[in-house]
Amino acid sequence: MNIHSFKFTVHTKLIPCCIFHLCQDLFLWVFFGFLLLACHSLGFSLETLHPRVFTVPERGSHFGYQVCHFGPTQGDSVLVTAPTLYNGTGGLYKCSYSGNQCMLLPLTVNPGIAFGLDLACDDNQALVCGPRLKHTCDGFNYLNGQCVEINSYFTAAYTLNPAFQECHVIPPLDTVILFDDSGSISPKNFETMIQFIKNLIVMFLDKRAQVAVAKFSTRVSQSFTLRTLP
């Protein structure tokens, strides 16, 4: 009886290649399985053959800066903003796909606020804002915003001013000036210092302000107490 021996040879160079293909197949299975389990995303495409083109109501108004579909579920209307309309006041348009026309909504806002720089919509309401509402309080200029909520009838539900800076009464300023009267100050420098104090007091525009002056050397003494400016 003849016994034949068989020799089994494994090429070591093929092992890394097989592992690579197995890992590649595993990645593809995991990737496509994840796509099947993931929530479907919504997208849209642009009509290039027969697009709806809305005519710009006024050049330089930045018509189309913000756009959103708004109105009834089966409606064909969109809201379009023009934030620099009417010299920067801004405006909001209701545009119709079927009519291919746009109508300016009669909304009352403050002038120059760039109404329409921001626009947000959901099924029943839209919020349109302009961030350039200016007002002055006691010589200080504040820049705030103004927003208008639009209801499903395309009318203003209410107007709000978010983060509005209210004007507060600024109380008069009381000031105490302390200067050096010691012998280390030369007569020339002392006169310069006194003239500086006089010029400083003159700069107070509010006549309700009170000023006191005191000097110090080896001890502190008052030149005059708090008094209202003449």
Side-chain angles (χ1 to χ4, degrees):
M1 182 177 181
N2 296 328
I3 300 176
H4 300 279
S5 60
F6 295 92
K7 186 177 181 181
F8 182 74
T9 304
V10 178
H11 296 282
T12 57
K13 294 182 179 180
L14 297 177
I15 295 177
C17 183
C18 294
I19 294 176
F20 172 77
H21 286 292
L22 288 174
C23 292
Q24 188 179 38
D25 293 339
L26 180 62
F27 172 77
L28 292 176
W29 278 104
V30 172
F31 176 74
F32 286 108
F34 174 76
L35 291 180
L36 292 175
L37 296 176
C39 296
H40 296 287
S41 60
L42 300 177
F44 65 93
S45 60
L46 296 177
E47 176 61 63
T48 59
L49 297 179
H50 305 286
R52 294 288 185 181
V53 179
F54 299 111
T55 305
V56 178
E58 181 178 328
R59 293 188 178 275
S61 63
H62 288 83
F63 177 78
Y65 186 84
Q66 295 281 359
V67 179
C68 75
H69 181 84
F70 182 71
T73 306
Q74 302 299 327
D76 65 346
S77 59
V78 292
L79 293 180
V80 183
T81 69
T84 56
L85 185 70
Y86 300 142
N87 297 322
T89 297
L92 180 67
Y93 288 86
K94 173 190 175 184
C95 299
S96 172
Y97 286 118
S98 58
N100 201 26
Q101 293 181 348
C102 294
M103 178 186 66
L104 180 64
L105 297 181
L107 304 175
T108 302
V109 295
N110 288 68
I113 67 169
F115 185 66
L117 276 179
D118 198 7
L119 170 66
C121 299
D122 60 16
D123 296 336
N124 300 315
Q125 59 187 1
L127 190 65
V128 192
C129 297
R132 298 178 181 175
L133 177 62
K134 299 178 182 178
H135 72 291
T136 303
C137 293
D138 292 332
F140 295 96
N141 295 321
Y142 295 97
L143 186 63
N144 302 118
Q146 187 175 51
C147 297
V148 178
E149 181 180 327
I150 310 299
N151 56 31
S152 58
Y153 299 100
F154 295 94
T155 58
Y158 65 89
T159 302
L160 67 155
N161 299 327
F164 186 79
Q165 178 65 45
E166 297 181 356
C167 292
H168 299 282
V169 178
I170 300 177
L173 181 66
D174 294 338
T175 305
V176 176
I177 301 174
L178 183 65
F179 69 94
D180 189 354
D181 189 34
S182 65
S184 61
I185 306 298
S186 65
K188 181 179 180 180
N189 289 336
F190 183 81
E191 291 297 329
T192 301
M193 184 169 52
I194 295 300
Q195 187 61 44
F196 171 78
I197 294 175
K198 291 180 180 180
N199 295 338
L200 182 63
I201 294 175
V202 173
M203 293 176 62
F204 286 89
L205 301 179
D206 191 347
K207 297 303 181 180
R208 299 172 300 169
Q210 298 184 109
V211 178
V213 178
K215 59 184 179 180
F216 68 92
S217 180
T218 54
R219 63 180 60 183
V220 178
S221 60
Q222 294 181 346
S223 296
F224 60 86
T225 58
L226 287 174
R227 63 181 66 174
T228 304
L229 294 175

